[in-house]
C-alpha cells in the first residue's frame, strides 16, 4: 500500500491525499490527517524500540 492519510479521531477516515478530517461527528474534525505507510491497512504507528535490560549494551 502506498502512502495514504488517516484520521486518528473517532471516524478513522482514510484519504489518498493530504486533507483535514471533514466528518462532523469526529473528535478530530478539522485536524489534518496523519501520513501513513502501512502495508496491512491497520494504520498502526511505528514505535521506536525502547532499550530493555535484555538488549542493553554493556
Amino acid at each position: 500500500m502506498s502512502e495514504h492519510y488517516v484520521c486518528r479521531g473517532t471516524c478513522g477516515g482514510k484519504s489518498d491525499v493530504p486533507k483535514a478530517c471533514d466528518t462532523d461527528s469526529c473528535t478530530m474534525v478539522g485536524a489534518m490527517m496523519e501520513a501513513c505507510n502501512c502495508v496491512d491497512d491497520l494504520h498502526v504507528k511505528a514505535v521506536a524500540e525502547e532499550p530493555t535490560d535484555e538488549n542493553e549494551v554493556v
Side-chain angles (χ1 to χ4, degrees):
M1 179 174 278
S2 62
E3 184 173 74
H4 51 281
Y5 300 85
V6 294
C7 177
R8 295 294 181 186
T10 52
C11 76
K14 186 171 107 174
S15 174
D16 290 333
V17 296
K19 71 173 200 166
C21 175
D22 57 6
T23 303
D24 290 332
S25 60
C26 183
T27 55
M28 298 289 289
V29 65
M32 289 302 291
M33 291 184 172
E34 186 176 295
C36 183
N37 287 301
C38 72
V39 294
D40 55 10
D41 209 28
L42 295 178
H43 314 298
V44 178
K45 290 182 181 180
V47 178
E49 185 179 317
E50 295 286 326
T52 64
D53 291 340
E54 294 173 2
N55 63 5
E56 226 174 75
V57 177
V58 183

